[in-house]
């Protein structure tokens, strides 16, 4: 198998790596190139006396290089895959270092399966209950302080809140982190950005956005005090929004959801010192939506994931929550897409109804993935904003430097569109038109649209 150039570039951890990888994508720079099945390899001259050895498994996709870079994939891994994408590498017997890497991957996969099948260690239930109660007490105290803070904020009014310095918001967020409610802390830390934001197409006015965000925080805090009155999945969703982790033991009990999962797009965001990557998928048979969210740091890069435009044929396990969305990969394999379409796409009215149904179950939801079928992209009369519409209505598109590329690909034709809706506008992530699938680059710095299938 081979990946397309767009799929490979979408794997780059940042814009600098993407550019550097393209600089390495010249066959003349490489020696000892070869392929065995989905594994490719080669050597490239670096700054040292010994050439760097680079190997990649396109089915992962995964790669390894002897260069000192801590990025994954490094520029040499990207360059090697781009060389293969331009012209498939010749088949050959893998050298010892390639065979050792491939065998190591197989051994680690087998060890992971063995570990998963091994009987669980006995759990000290009393100690576990004490830890759980200690956290509950900390969260309850943080919620008490948050409640007083919100009441004081509302008493003084939103106009006064907009004049507060960043430290005002950061202090409350820090208290929530100390109280082991990092999900609420993230929402509070986002508030000063809403205050300072300029009016933007497809978004609520800054003062309205601040009011909505505070309302969602208040609703989540209220729900957190009534967990015993909620259904188990709904209570799990509240805990997840507060920032409670889902343990490996909990995930081990979750059922498999097997399907051919179309990988629609990747989205990468920086959160504090972490890099958060969302892989958005939809089941071709079930139409179920899924978000696989991973975090990476400079010392712990993001794990491999199927590229946008591929299909992941296998099982996902959804984390507890209502409605379900967050998932993890289980057994399966990535490969070429069956067809470049958006399964389960519907009308604008259906998308609005779906978002309303999500809010009815979890009113603190900030945004939700939607799929639109047969919509046209154009400018709203008198507003200057762009929108996606059909006979049932239209959704404004959020301002983005990549919108011109999106409009150019659509060319006035009906297209299928996938994106995130927040009740005010749609942030597009993928588009299907003319038998092809296009995806927004994972990094917003690229003002282009990538053909991925």
């Amino acid at each position: 198998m081979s990946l397309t150039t767009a799929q490979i570039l979408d794997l780059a951890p940042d814009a600098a790596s993407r550019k550097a990888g393209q600089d390495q994508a010249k066959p003349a720079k490489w020696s000892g190139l070869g392929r065995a099945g989905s594994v490719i390899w080669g050597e490239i001259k670096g700054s040292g006396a010994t050439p760097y050895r680079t190997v990649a498994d396109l089915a992962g996709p995964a790669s390894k290089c002897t260069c000192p870079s801590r990025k994954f994939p490094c520029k040499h891994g990207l360059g090697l895959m781009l060389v293969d994408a331009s012209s498939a590498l010749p088949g050959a017997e893998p050298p010892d270092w390639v065979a050792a890497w491939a065998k190591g991957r197989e051994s680690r996969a087998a060890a992971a399966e063995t570990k998963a099948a091994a009987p669980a260690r006995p759990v000290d239930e009393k100690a576990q209950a004490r830890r759980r109660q200690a956290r509950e007490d900390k969260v309850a105290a943080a919620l008490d302080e948050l409640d007083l803070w919100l009441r004081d904020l509302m008493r003084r009014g939103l106009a006064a809140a907009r004049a507060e310095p960043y430290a005002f918001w950061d202090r409350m967020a820090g208290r929530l982190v100390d109280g082991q409610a990092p999900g609420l802390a993230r929402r509070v830390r986002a508030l000063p950005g809403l205050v300072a934001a300029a009016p933007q197409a497809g978004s609520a006015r800054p003062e309205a956005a601040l009011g909505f965000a505070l309302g969602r925080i208040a609703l989540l805090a209220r729900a957190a005090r009534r967990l015993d009155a909620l259904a188990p999945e709904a209570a799990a969703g509240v805990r997840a929004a507060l920032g409670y982790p889902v343990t490996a033991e909990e995930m081990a009990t979750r059922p498999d959801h097997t399907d051919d999962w179309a990988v629609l797009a990747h989205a990468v965001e920086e959160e504090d010192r972490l890099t958060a990557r969302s892989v958005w998928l939809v089941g071709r048979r079930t139409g179920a939506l899924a978000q696989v969210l991973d975090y990476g740091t400079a010392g712990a890069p993001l794990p491999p994931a199927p590229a946008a435009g591929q299909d992941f044929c296998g099982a996902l396990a959804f984390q507890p929550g209502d409605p379900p969305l967050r998932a993890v990969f289980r057994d399966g394999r990535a490969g070429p897409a069956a067809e470049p379409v958006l399964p389960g796409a519907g009308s604008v009215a259906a998308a609005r109804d779906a978002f309303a149904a999500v809010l009815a179950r979890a009113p603190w939801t900030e945004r939700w993935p939607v799929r639109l079928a047969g919509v046209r992209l154009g400018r709203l009369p008198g507003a200057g904003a762009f929108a996606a519409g059909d006979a049932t209505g239209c959704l404004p598109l959020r301002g983005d430097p990549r919108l011109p590329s999106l409009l150019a690909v659509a060319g006035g034709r009906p297209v299928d569109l996938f994106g995130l809706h927040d009740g005010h506008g749609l942030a597009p992530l993928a588009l299907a038109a003319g038998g092809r699938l296009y995806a927004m680059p994972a990094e917003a710095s690229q003002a282009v649209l990538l053909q991925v299938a």
Side-chain angles (χ1 to χ4, degrees):
M1 65 168 295
S2 292
L3 300 177
T4 67
T5 298
Q7 290 172 336
I8 295 165
L9 293 176
D10 200 40
L11 298 173
D14 51 45
S17 298
R18 188 181 298 113
K19 184 178 185 303
Q22 290 173 307
D23 292 339
Q24 305 301 315
K26 299 178 176 62
K29 290 187 173 185
W30 292 83
S31 62
L33 292 166
R35 164 195 282 270
S38 62
V39 178
I40 59 176
W41 63 86
E43 298 184 4
I44 188 168
K45 185 73 171 69
S47 56
T50 305
Y52 297 136
R53 289 176 168 178
T54 309
V55 58
D57 185 350
L58 301 176
S63 66
K64 182 175 177 59
C65 183
T66 57
C67 75
S69 174
R70 301 180 73 177
K71 295 182 179 180
F72 180 85
C74 69
K75 64 180 181 180
H76 305 110
L78 292 168
L80 176 65
M81 289 186 278
L82 288 169
V83 168
D84 177 73
S86 62
S87 179
L89 298 181
E93 185 69 22
D96 292 344
W97 57 274
V98 173
W101 179 78
K103 185 176 180 180
R105 275 176 55 79
E106 293 175 0
S107 299
R108 287 189 292 273
E113 291 180 4
T114 302
K115 183 178 179 180
R121 288 183 176 182
V123 177
D124 186 340
E125 295 185 0
K126 290 184 177 179
Q128 192 178 65
R130 285 195 299 270
R131 290 193 296 269
R132 186 184 302 114
Q133 188 58 51
R135 177 164 192 169
E136 297 288 353
D137 293 343
K138 284 187 175 182
V139 171
L143 290 174
D144 288 340
E145 191 166 340
L146 176 65
D147 186 57
L148 289 173
W149 185 79
L150 287 172
R151 289 174 183 271
D152 181 61
L153 200 62
M154 291 297 98
R155 178 181 58 79
R156 293 186 293 117
L158 292 182
R162 297 189 67 186
E164 294 288 356
Y166 178 78
F168 168 79
W169 312 94
D170 191 53
R171 278 194 299 271
M172 187 65 243
R175 177 65 190 94
L176 291 167
V177 170
D178 294 340
Q180 295 188 283
L184 276 171
R186 178 192 64 78
R187 291 171 182 253
V188 170
R189 282 208 171 100
L191 296 176
L194 299 177
V195 171
Q200 188 181 27
S203 302
R205 299 186 312 277
E207 59 273 17
L210 176 61
F212 285 127
L214 287 169
R216 286 191 290 264
I217 290 172
L219 285 168
L220 180 56
R222 180 68 60 87
R225 296 183 183 279
R226 302 181 66 249
L227 291 176
D228 293 342
L230 299 176
E233 287 294 305
V238 173
R239 288 179 175 273
L242 292 175
Y244 280 76
V246 180
T247 65
E249 290 77 13
E250 287 179 279
M251 287 306 300
T253 64
R254 304 295 292 178
D256 286 349
H257 292 261
T258 304
D259 205 333
D260 293 335
W261 298 92
V263 184
L264 301 180
H266 285 196
V268 173
E269 298 177 342
E270 299 298 326
E271 295 184 7
D272 295 328
R273 297 180 182 180
L274 299 176
T275 299
R277 181 193 64 200
S278 291
V279 180
W280 294 99
L281 309 99
V282 59
R284 292 193 180 276
R285 294 192 298 274
T286 61
L289 288 162
Q291 176 195 20
V292 177
L293 181 61
D294 291 304
Y295 291 94
T297 65
L302 289 163
Q310 288 188 311
D311 276 4
F312 176 76
C313 302
L316 300 181
F318 284 87
Q319 294 186 4
D322 182 36
L325 183 64
R326 284 278 303 275
V328 297
F329 291 113
R330 280 197 172 155
D331 295 332
R333 191 173 184 83
E339 52 181 338
V341 298
L342 295 183
S347 67
V348 170
R352 283 178 169 156
D353 290 344
F355 185 65
V358 169
L359 291 181
R361 295 157 72 178
W364 45 85
T365 300
E366 296 174 294
R367 55 186 185 175
W368 192 259
V370 297
R371 293 155 291 174
L372 304 176
V375 294
R376 294 182 185 272
L377 309 184
R379 194 181 292 272
L380 286 172
F386 292 101
D390 60 15
T392 66
C394 66
L395 291 178
L397 301 180
R398 291 179 65 90
D400 191 292
R402 299 165 294 186
L403 278 184
S405 297
L406 194 80
L407 295 165
V409 169
R413 299 169 296 172
V415 297
D416 294 349
L417 195 63
F418 170 77
L420 303 179
H421 182 44
D422 64 358
H424 301 280
L426 180 71
L429 290 176
L431 176 146
R436 295 180 175 87
L437 180 67
Y438 301 84
M440 292 286 196
E443 296 280 345
S445 56
Q446 264 193 308
V448 297
L449 204 61
L450 303 176
Q451 181 183 330
V452 294

